[in-house]
Structure formats: C-alpha cells, structure tokens
Amino acid sequence: MRLPATARAAGFASPFDRAAWFDLLEAHGFAGRGRFDAHASAGSTTAWLPLRIEKPGEFAGLTNWYSFSIRPLFTGDEGRSDALQALFADLRRNAARLTLYPVPETTELTAALRAAGWWVKVAPAGDRHWLDLADMDHDSWWASRPGALRSTVQRKAKKGVVDIQLLTEFDPGSWAAYEQIYAASWKPEEGHPALLRAFAEAEGAGGRLRMGIARIDGLPVAAQFWTVEDGTAFIHKLAHVEDSLKASPGTLLSAALFRHVIAVDGVKRIDFGTGNDGYKRDWMNRHDPLWRIEAFNPSRIAAWGPALTAYARSVLGKKSDR
C-alpha cells in the first residue's frame, strides 16, 4: 500500500510530511533500492512511515538534504501510539536495522520502537534554528534582533542600491534568476535542481510559495526560496553572488521576507531548517538539536554487529568528552 494523501503528522503541518513530498523524492531517485511505506493499524487509526531500502534488511527514512524532518504520519486520531508500535512490530519481520534522520523530537518514536522490541540508540546529529514569535508582531520581533543586524538593514536600505522583488506564485523567469544566482554563489555544487524546481512549482500551485530576488543594476545577485503553511514559514534555500556582499543583498532580502511572512501571512513560527550556521542566530530565538535514531532488531543476527559498533561508538564518544 502507498501512503495516502490524507495522512498527517501530529502537530503543525510541514511540506515534508505530505505524500506528494515522498513521491517527489522517489521520482527523483532518492528511494535507494526501493521505497517501502511501512504501515500498521490499531483500531481506526493507521500509522505510516515512508522508508527507503538501503540494502536487504536495512531501511532508512525517505529523506534527502532538503528534508527538515522525518516523522510518522497517521490516518485517524485515536490510538496513535498503538498504531505506531504495531508498525514497528510489523517492520521487524523484514528489517534488521532502521535509521531515521533528521528527527526533531524523539519521544514518540523511541517509545514505540522499544515497545515493539527494538534496540534503540539516539544521538544528537545536527541543529535546528527557528523563530517562535508567540505574541510578537513584526516590529516587536525586529526590535529584539541584534543592533548590528538592524543597523546594517537600515544603512543598506537607505542607499537604494538593492531592488527587492517578492513573489507568491511560481514564475519561470524568476526561477531561472534563482538558478543563475545559485550557480554563481559561494556554495559548492549541491542538491538536485530539477527536484527543487518541481517542489517550488507544486508549492506555487498550492499558494504556499514565497520567493525573493534581489537585484543590483538590474542583475540578480541574491535569491531565497521559502514556503508558508499552517502558521509556519519554512526557509528552504538561500543564495547570493559573492562580489555583491558589500551591498548586503541577502540580508536585505531576508528582512523583506521576514516582514512579509510575519506582517502579511501572519505566521507564528519560522523554521530555518537544518544546520548551525552562525548567521541564523541573528534572526531566530530558538535552537534545538536534531537527532539520529538507529534501531536494531535483536531477533536478526545481522543486526548484532552493527548494534555493538553503534553502542561502542557512543561510549567512546562520551569518554572523549570528559
């Protein structure tokens, strides 16, 4: 069975929880040796977890470098913990090992895995910066930001060198400008442009896309791709041309997009995705670890060696921290 479009994660919605996202990953070659939508039911509720087959007996969450998280999904609202435990119990028939990353909150998953008889190792593996606006409007949030950031935006904006364009619909010409900027940016070649474009087109069709292009003398020098959903803005990709840095186009573009999603879209959270880049602290007020869950099936001899290695690695890591 395939993950149904009606399946939802607990809590706030995310683009990385929809069936369409996993279909996109599969279509663009991220399903490893095959896709397996693990699922099981308890009463009227079914738990789902899209996985990729790494090799026979080894599974991992169906994610890629664009994914902010991997979470269980559900159809039905009652008995979710029982359905998730049933899913992991059923998975033990086919799997010796399971890896899930990035996981923002581990309690639900680890409890269900252990109850289903798995050996479980959880380790921090990355960072997540996000903005919790609570009752703040745009102006009160902006007043809480570092003085150096606010001064930079004020000074550079006054010069009028950078022109900002914000879009809420997918536009092929603007996307071509984004790809042009990315190709000339400081970043090494990464990612999968065709997947990202298909994702942006779908988000645009759903009314969720928020995109910005900064230009100097008519030339695109910075671009950002965001989406907005269920009270949260997600920052997916940033890029700028190195020799434009003196004008701070990326900073001005960020300021404009933050203003739009807070003042116009009314979001209450902004998620900067994975990574601990220092500049994210200037914009965000929350920092949480991301986690990697490794689960081993004790009934499979093939899992014993990897489990021993994982636990030994954990012990050695703790000793080196002393």
Side-chain angles (χ1 to χ4, degrees):
M1 293 177 63
R2 301 280 289 190
L3 174 70
T6 54
R8 294 290 183 268
F12 304 115
S14 157
F16 308 105
D17 299 327
R18 290 197 297 271
W21 171 251
F22 297 105
D23 292 343
L24 191 64
L25 292 183
E26 181 182 22
H28 287 268
F30 291 97
R33 297 189 181 184
R35 173 177 169 179
F36 179 69
D37 288 350
H39 63 280
S41 298
S44 61
T45 297
T46 301
W48 297 83
L49 191 61
L51 304 172
R52 67 171 176 266
I53 301 170
E54 302 282 69
K55 61 183 181 180
E58 291 195 11
F59 295 81
L62 182 53
T63 61
N64 74 345
W65 48 79
Y66 298 128
S67 302
F68 286 19
S69 65
I70 180 74
R71 302 192 290 175
L73 309 170
F74 300 92
T75 51
D77 296 320
E78 297 182 1
R80 288 186 170 191
S81 59
D82 291 336
L84 190 58
Q85 180 180 333
L87 182 156
F88 288 129
D90 187 66
L91 187 61
R92 283 187 60 191
R93 300 173 189 168
N94 301 305
R97 184 176 182 180
L98 171 66
T99 302
L100 299 174
Y101 172 82
V103 178
E105 208 289 318
T106 63
T107 303
E108 179 184 43
L109 285 164
T110 55
L113 281 162
R114 289 181 173 125
W118 292 78
W119 293 335
V120 181
K121 177 181 175 292
V122 180
D127 302 86
R128 170 183 173 237
H129 287 270
W130 62 288
L131 174 62
D132 179 8
L133 284 158
D135 295 327
M136 290 188 289
D137 61 13
H138 173 270
D139 290 346
S140 56
W141 160 76
W142 186 239
S144 74
R145 295 302 85 209
L149 175 63
R150 290 184 285 116
S151 176
T152 295
V153 171
Q154 184 178 26
R155 287 185 295 105
K156 301 296 183 177
K158 277 185 177 180
K159 292 184 177 180
V161 173
V162 180
D163 294 318
I164 301 294
Q165 178 190 17
L166 299 184
L167 302 98
T168 58
E169 298 179 352
F170 183 86
D171 173 66
S174 297
W175 192 260
Y178 162 79
E179 292 184 331
Q180 175 186 338
I181 294 162
Y182 197 86
S185 74
W186 81 102
K187 296 185 176 184
E189 187 168 344
E190 61 178 32
H192 197 298
L195 183 152
L196 198 62
R197 177 177 176 132
F199 176 49
E201 288 176 335
E203 294 299 283
R208 297 178 294 268
L209 181 141
R210 304 292 181 268
M211 186 173 173
I213 304 288
R215 293 179 172 85
I216 296 177
D217 295 331
L219 298 177
V221 293
Q224 299 188 14
F225 167 37
W226 298 31
T227 60
V228 169
E229 181 172 356
D230 195 19
T232 302
F234 300 86
I235 305 176
H236 299 284
K237 276 293 178 184
L238 317 178
H240 63 253
V241 178
E242 275 291 292
D243 60 11
S244 69
L245 284 179
K246 288 183 179 180
S248 301
T251 302
L252 293 176
L253 189 54
S254 290
L257 279 161
F258 272 87
R259 177 180 289 278
H260 183 93
V261 300
I262 296 171
V264 179
D265 294 313
V267 304
K268 291 300 181 182
R269 299 164 299 278
I270 301 179
D271 194 332
F272 225 135
T274 61
N276 197 26
D277 308 86
Y279 67 86
K280 294 182 179 180
R281 297 183 184 91
D282 288 345
W283 301 92
M284 304 305 194
N285 60 12
R286 296 288 185 268
H287 173 234
D288 299 323
L290 290 168
W291 304 90
R292 183 185 305 277
I293 296 176
E294 293 181 90
F296 306 92
N297 184 351
S299 66
R300 295 286 190 97
I301 294 176
W304 295 0
L308 181 61
T309 299
Y311 283 105
R313 187 169 63 241
S314 178
V315 170
L316 290 172
K318 289 178 181 178
K319 288 181 177 180
S320 67
D321 291 338
R322 293 177 183 173

